[in-house]
Amino acid sequence: MIPYSRQSIDEDDIKAVIEALKSDYLTGGQRVKEFEKALAEYLDIKYVCVMNSATSALHIAYKTIDLKEDDEIITTPITFAATANAALMCGAKPIFCDVKTNGNINEEKVEELINSKTKAIIPVDFGGNPVNINTIRKLCNKHKLYLIEDCAHALGSEIDGKKVGTQADIAVFSFHAIKPITTCGEGGAIATNNKELYEKAKLLRSHGIVKKQVWNSDMIELGYNYRLSDVASALGISQLKKLDLFIEKRATIANFYNKEFKNNPYFFPIQLPLHVKSSYHLYPILLDRSLWCAKEDIFKELQAKGIGLQVHYKPTYQFSYYKKLFGEMKLHNAEEFYKAELSIPCHQEMSLEDARFVAHTLLEVLAKYKRCKT
Ligand SMILES: *Cc1c(COP(=O)(O)O)cnc(C)c1O
């Protein structure tokens, strides 16, 4: 099976982890700080605080802006559940804004959702394709809102040569196994240029406890244990060195697909504007609407042929937990995106041979399916 995404671990990575395992500190040591420094340099953002997942990082990001009961955030439903869940963890209400045909939040539709309860806007760079951050930044400035960017897909993505995350008050990254780089399967980080938010995040990451003198400490906030270990950070340091190479390899696969799929009658790849660089975390395709009714069969048949697929994402508001809380809702483009989207294999462990197999099999399978009425 060629999975839609997967990690790459080489001998250097393994060596780095073994070294960390043999060292004095498995957690709370220098490797955590070293990883944070390397990330900050890579992103060109002043402060980085690594955590045990992006879900923890989102929770902490929302806590650092003091998100609480009766507050609202505006986010996209085309994302992993954690983006909105972390707001619920704070007692706040996620308001879902519709997306564009590329799966990113429709920045033109955000403003009409802003009210006196709104505290932050949380866009997601879907698949690694950067959102229109300039417009969202201006909107946040105008209405005095925080901009927290869920960059879980987008470590290494760029707009106009600048890394994604630099315009946000807080950018959140994921090091889950299948994300752009990994830290032993789970991991995450926040990045910010705001010292105050950074200090608060660091405090909340580790129980809200500050050291005083000798053995004496004080707990000044109700915090968590969301720390990332030194062993995980060792892998992160080693992986980060290869991130640009990973992206290059994924770009090669994506460019190959783009050529193969040009003008095909079955689906549309997502077009990237010239001024952006994607991390190519995903290669999403959008089926023509005449094939939506056959998507389940297409998915199963491709899987049986050894092609691992995924659908990103079921709109968050469709989860029964959300329906129970907020009732039924439907956003037109999010609904259509969910019906059309398939993520096909695109990762740094694939050869061009693999990509050719995926492309040809996909086109061959799709040709067999009857078009449905739309
Ligand atoms: C993966 C992901 C998360 C959660 O990341 P974890 O590190 O698994 O907690 C959050 N948001 C988005 C958009 C994601 O893809």
Side-chain angles (χ1 to χ4, degrees), residues 53-55 58 79-80 82-83 124 150 152-153 174 176 179 186-187 313:
S53 75
T55 305
L58 281 162
T79 182
F80 183 62
T83 315
V124 174
D150 183 339
H153 297 185
S174 174
H176 178 272
K179 297 288 163 71
E186 305 284 355
Y313 288 94

Side-chain angles (χ1 to χ4, degrees), residues 281-352:
H281 164 56
L282 300 175
Y283 190 92
I285 62 169
L286 303 172
L287 292 176
D288 184 80
R289 63 179 64 235
S290 64
L291 286 166
W292 292 356
C293 61
K295 184 160 140 176
E296 201 178 315
D297 293 331
I298 292 167
F299 190 104
K300 283 185 189 154
E301 182 166 349
L302 286 167
Q303 232 176 10
K305 289 188 149 65
I307 298 174
L309 304 161
Q310 191 48 278
V311 172
H312 296 97
Y313 288 94
K314 181 171 176 172
T316 311
Y317 58 72
Q318 281 195 22
F319 290 124
S320 46
Y321 189 83
Y322 277 82
K323 283 193 199 164
K324 242 187 286 168
L325 281 179
F326 306 118
E328 296 272 347
M329 75 175 290
K330 269 196 168 96
L331 294 171
H332 180 264
N333 287 355
E335 295 287 318
E336 297 215 326
F337 195 83
Y338 177 47
K339 286 180 188 148
E341 203 270 351
L342 276 176
S343 301
I344 67 170
C346 181
H347 57 78
Q348 58 279 352
E349 297 264 298
M350 281 173 75
S351 64
L352 269 182

